[in-house]
């Protein structure tokens, strides 16, 4: 499960990076992607505690 979450985090981070590089980034999308990355990091932290 950890590896699946980690892979998803990488994919979302890549999407976020691409969106931020656009000449006119969609602020709503950037905020949503940032929130998703944060949520995934929290999930991964849970696994490191186990």
């Amino acid at each position: 499960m950890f590896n699946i979450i980690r892979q998803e985090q990488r994919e979302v981070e890549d999407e976020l990076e691409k969106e931020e590089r656009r000449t006119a980034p969609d602020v709503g999308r950037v905020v949503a992607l940032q929130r998703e990355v944060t949520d995934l990091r929290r999930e991964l932290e849970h696994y490191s505690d186990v």
Side-chain angles (χ1 to χ4, degrees):
M1 187 69 155
F2 176 86
N3 290 332
I4 294 169
I5 296 170
R6 182 64 184 126
Q7 179 62 37
E8 185 177 348
Q9 179 189 12
R10 286 185 197 129
E11 291 171 4
V12 174
E13 286 173 340
D14 289 346
E15 284 184 54
L16 175 60
E17 188 176 322
K18 287 177 190 173
E19 187 66 37
E20 288 176 331
R21 287 184 181 174
R22 291 180 51 190
T23 53
D26 179 340
V27 176
R29 181 164 164 74
V30 168
V31 170
L33 290 169
Q34 288 171 335
R35 189 173 300 131
E36 189 172 351
V37 168
T38 300
D39 292 345
L40 291 167
R41 284 182 182 153
R42 286 183 182 140
E43 284 188 53
L44 289 173
E45 287 172 1
H46 170 74
Y47 283 98
S48 68
D49 292 341
V50 174

